Amino acid sequence: MLWLSRITHQPHTDDNMKVTALLIICSWLLLGSLGKPQFPEQEKDPKFWNTWAQRTLKNALTLQKLNKNKAKNLIFFLGDGMGVPTVTAARILKGQLNGQSGEETQLEMDKFPFVSLAKTYNTNAQVPDSAGTATAFLCGVKANEGTVGVSAAAVRSQCNTTEGNEVTSILRWAKDAGKAVGIVTTTRVNHATPSAAYAHSVDREWYSDSEMPAEALQAGCKDIARQLFENIPNIDVVLGGGRKYMFPKNKSDVEYPNILKHSGTRKDGRNLVQEWTDRMKDKKGHYVWNKKQLLSLNPSNVDYLLGLFEPGDLTYDLERNTDSDPSLTEMVEIAIKILRKNPSGFYLLVEGGRIDHGHHEGKAKQALYEAVEMDRAIGRAGLLTSIHDTLTIVTADHSHVFNFGGYTVRGNTIFGLAPWVSDIDQKPFTSILYGNGPGYKIVNGARENVSTIDYQENNYQAQAAVPLSMETHGGEDVAVFAKGPLAHLLHGVHEQNYIPHVMAYAACIGQNREHCLAYSGTAGLRPVFSSIAAILTATRLLC
């Protein structure tokens, strides 16, 4: 309203300004005449807000008793590109899909008791990419952009800088500790985020050997798909896309046999899926490529599962064939039911990877629906596990130059228009906008008039300030949500590579295991000095 008053009360020396002011006032009059209440009637009563705040305060006070149990299970949810504006917009969308105004809704991740911020920069990049960040939150060390599973001493695309600079991930640490491990993603299973869990590659785009330069192959570097099966041969569950990278070049795809771009890509002629199937046939191993096969499995009879549901990335959830393609939630449920059979517990990496792709394409609706689906998967995981022995973390690798604003009224559809037109070009604009990207459009020498197009269509590209074929990442900190054993260690502002160190500490895997003490029944954690003090006390009593 202050913005409006500044416009309507300043001297009008230009006819365009008069027209603009009139249009803005008309917009507000229209909004006021719709008859729809702008917010629930109960919110007019201070008691409503005071009661809500007191209830929240009581819940906060219960957190003073910290959960210091040993984490038997570790679940890491990664919303690729899910910056804070995306979280907020997804919250509103979730509420609106449930018939609410949206702003007051709680995402599943909003219910986590501990929230912190992570600094996302790569060692050589202020605004990061998903490979360097994945190395940070999975391997515990920051790295250069474009590289996975190698330290910052490795140089992108230079094969000879790989050897000696490999770093291992928390998935490996968990496997070495006897836990079951799994990867679930909506992207290719050899994409940037999942690949950092098992691969060591100086180039994130070396998906198969056909994407690698001849000199890299001759120097002994391995493609990422091959590393998925060779570096940690017994990953218990792998679910996602990327089928074509596993099969010999030009081998027809099982689902799209007549589409050449979906055919196999491997120049070495290897059939990695068949090799895996042969190796696992006597180990209760199953390979599936569609939803029906996946959901027909009895997790009690499956110890190893490989599911590749698309030649490349999975389709956007808005476009998903619900008969043939599993949702992220369905994949997560199957994964947990298989992994939790291990008496030592499990580590599960879950990536909502296509949030990022939606933003890159300027398709905010696709991105936000992906985020809502990941939140649904978070809720399902919570129902299948216990906060007492399962540490769950939700975060993003980086943000995007995505935002929403324009003084929209309460309950405004998240994909809708701002309540007034621009005071510069007298045209409406959507609340959602990008700083750059493919949504930059000039029509007849001026900004496109969004009222002439369907701006709520699934693939609408929101307007952007700077023209780019692909929208870019953002460089701000991202939120880290945590619940379960030792979740309180994620507090304040930290470097992104701190995250796997907390998870490993909580589960007594990797380094820093000396703080762990086993008890009959429930396992617990005590600081190292407590153990030393106990020994000294016992010594005094015996002497």
Side-chain angles (χ1 to χ4, degrees):
M1 290 300 290
L2 290 175
W3 191 84
L4 175 60
S5 80
R6 285 199 297 271
I7 290 177
T8 53
H9 290 116
Q10 64 183 328
H12 289 177
T13 59
D14 187 280
D15 288 341
N16 284 339
M17 290 300 293
K18 293 178 182 177
V19 172
T20 301
L22 181 61
L23 287 168
I24 292 171
I25 293 170
C26 288
S27 298
W28 277 101
L29 289 173
L30 177 62
L31 286 168
S33 66
L34 290 177
K36 179 182 176 182
Q38 299 303 310
F39 54 87
E41 186 69 23
Q42 62 184 354
E43 294 184 12
K44 295 179 180 179
D45 186 351
K47 184 179 179 180
F48 168 80
W49 298 106
N50 289 330
T51 301
W52 191 351
Q54 287 297 314
R55 185 168 62 247
T56 304
L57 177 60
K58 287 180 180 179
N59 289 337
L61 289 171
T62 65
L63 299 177
Q64 301 308 304
K65 185 177 180 181
L66 300 176
N67 182 347
K68 295 183 180 181
N69 295 338
K70 176 181 176 182
K72 177 182 179 182
N73 308 314
L74 302 169
I75 305 178
F76 185 76
F77 280 94
L78 191 283
D80 199 316
M82 191 181 70
V84 171
T86 299
V87 172
T88 308
R91 177 188 304 130
I92 294 172
L93 173 59
K94 178 183 177 181
Q96 292 179 349
L97 289 173
N98 291 325
Q100 303 166 331
S101 65
E103 301 83 1
E104 71 290 344
T105 302
Q106 268 195 315
L107 292 167
E108 293 298 328
M109 65 187 90
D110 291 340
K111 301 173 186 177
F112 285 28
F114 298 97
V115 183
S116 58
L117 293 175
K119 297 190 282 184
T120 64
Y121 67 91
N122 295 149
T123 46
N124 65 340
Q126 186 177 77
V127 177
D129 91 314
S130 295
T133 52
T135 304
F137 60 68
L138 290 175
C139 302
V141 300
K142 290 226 172 191
N144 294 328
E145 60 86 28
T147 66
V148 292
V150 289
S151 71
V155 181
R156 183 170 188 174
S157 301
Q158 293 188 19
C159 173
N160 62 359
T161 65
T162 307
E163 189 173 357
N165 293 320
E166 300 91 343
V167 291
T168 57
S169 76
I170 186 169
L171 183 141
R172 183 60 180 259
W173 310 338
K175 190 67 176 176
D176 289 346
K179 294 184 182 295
V181 296
I183 297 170
V184 176
T185 180
T186 54
T187 68
R188 289 153 277 182
V189 295
N190 50 348
H191 206 253
T193 297
S195 65
Y198 58 82
H200 311 290
S201 178
V202 291
D203 199 313
R204 58 175 287 179
E205 295 180 352
W206 289 355
Y207 301 119
S208 72
D209 58 351
S210 67
E211 284 80 31
M212 296 178 65
E215 55 270 24
L217 289 168
Q218 292 166 3
C221 279
K222 298 179 180 179
D223 65 87
I224 296 171
R226 179 181 169 188
Q227 293 189 57
L228 170 62
F229 297 98
E230 295 183 356
N231 288 6
I232 309 176
N234 292 323
I235 297 177
D236 302 76
V237 176
V238 177
L239 300 174
R243 216 166 35 221
K244 66 181 181 180
Y245 304 106
M246 316 300 170
F247 291 95
K249 191 170 182 64
N250 296 327
K251 179 177 175 58
S252 294
D253 183 72
V254 63
E255 189 175 8
Y256 310 101
N258 300 317
I259 303 178
L260 186 60
K261 69 176 183 179
H262 294 325
S263 297
T265 65
R266 302 199 63 81
K267 289 182 177 179
D268 59 12
R270 292 178 64 178
N271 183 329
L272 299 178
V273 171
Q274 189 61 54
E275 292 178 18
W276 181 91
T277 303
D278 292 342
R279 191 169 71 246
M280 295 298 179
K281 63 183 178 182
D282 297 324
K283 299 180 180 180
K284 294 185 179 180
H286 295 263
Y287 167 67
V288 297
W289 61 268
N290 61 50
K291 177 178 177 176
K292 182 179 179 181
Q293 293 173 340
L294 177 70
L295 299 187
S296 68
L297 294 173
N298 180 349
S300 299
N301 299 326
V302 179
D303 288 342
Y304 297 96
L305 176 61
L306 173 63
L308 301 173
F309 304 104
E310 288 291 333
D313 302 317
L314 303 192
T315 56
Y316 285 120
D317 197 63
L318 266 176
E319 300 170 353
R320 180 172 60 88
N321 184 327
T322 56
D323 292 326
S324 60
D325 300 329
S327 67
L328 182 61
T329 301
E330 289 166 338
M331 292 192 292
V332 166
E333 179 167 352
I334 290 290
I336 291 177
K337 287 180 176 178
I338 293 172
L339 297 174
R340 70 183 182 184
K341 296 187 300 178
N342 187 316
S344 298
F346 65 84
Y347 171 87
L348 176 61
L349 165 64
V350 181
E351 183 196 21
R354 303 223 64 195
I355 301 169
D356 177 72
H357 296 176
H359 281 322
H360 277 308
E361 295 173 2
K363 299 174 181 177
K365 192 167 187 176
Q366 298 285 10
L368 296 184
Y369 270 80
E370 291 293 311
V372 170
E373 171 56 24
M374 192 182 87
D375 193 66
R376 191 176 295 117
I378 293 167
R380 186 64 57 84
L383 293 174
L384 294 168
T385 56
S386 167
I387 196 171
H388 299 294
D389 67 359
T390 302
L391 173 61
T392 304
I393 293 174
V394 180
T395 188
D397 46 357
H398 54 75
S399 186
H400 275 267
V401 291
F402 159 89
N403 219 316
F404 68 100
Y407 299 109
T408 47
V409 297
R410 178 78 175 271
N412 194 74
T413 171
I414 192 63
F415 304 114
L417 297 176
W420 50 55
V421 298
S422 165
D423 63 331
I424 303 299
D425 63 11
Q426 288 79 51
K427 292 179 182 177
F429 59 97
T430 55
S431 173
I432 286 176
L433 296 168
Y434 286 95
N436 57 50
Y440 177 94
K441 289 182 176 66
I442 297 297
V443 178
N444 297 324
R447 181 174 69 91
E448 183 177 48
N449 188 334
V450 295
S451 66
T452 65
I453 58 176
D454 183 4
Y455 52 81
Q456 299 205 48
E457 192 266 327
N458 289 354
N459 290 305
Y460 168 70
Q461 292 177 309
Q463 292 186 337
V466 176
L468 287 176
S469 58
M470 294 289 281
E471 177 264 6
T472 72
H473 295 169
E476 73 269 26
D477 298 347
V478 295
V480 184
F481 304 85
K483 70 173 181 177
L486 299 189
H488 58 277
L489 296 180
L490 287 158
H491 63 94
V493 182
H494 297 287
E495 297 289 351
Q496 195 170 44
N497 67 294
Y498 172 67
I499 296 171
H501 291 272
V502 170
M503 299 186 81
Y505 186 92
C508 296
I509 61 176
Q511 54 185 319
N512 297 329
R513 283 177 291 181
E514 63 273 12
H515 64 285
C516 304
L517 290 174
Y519 292 91
S520 57
T522 305
L525 297 176
R526 296 292 185 274
V528 177
F529 61 80
S530 298
S531 303
I532 297 173
I535 294 171
L536 290 175
T537 301
T539 302
R540 290 195 202 98
L541 292 173
L542 292 170
C543 295

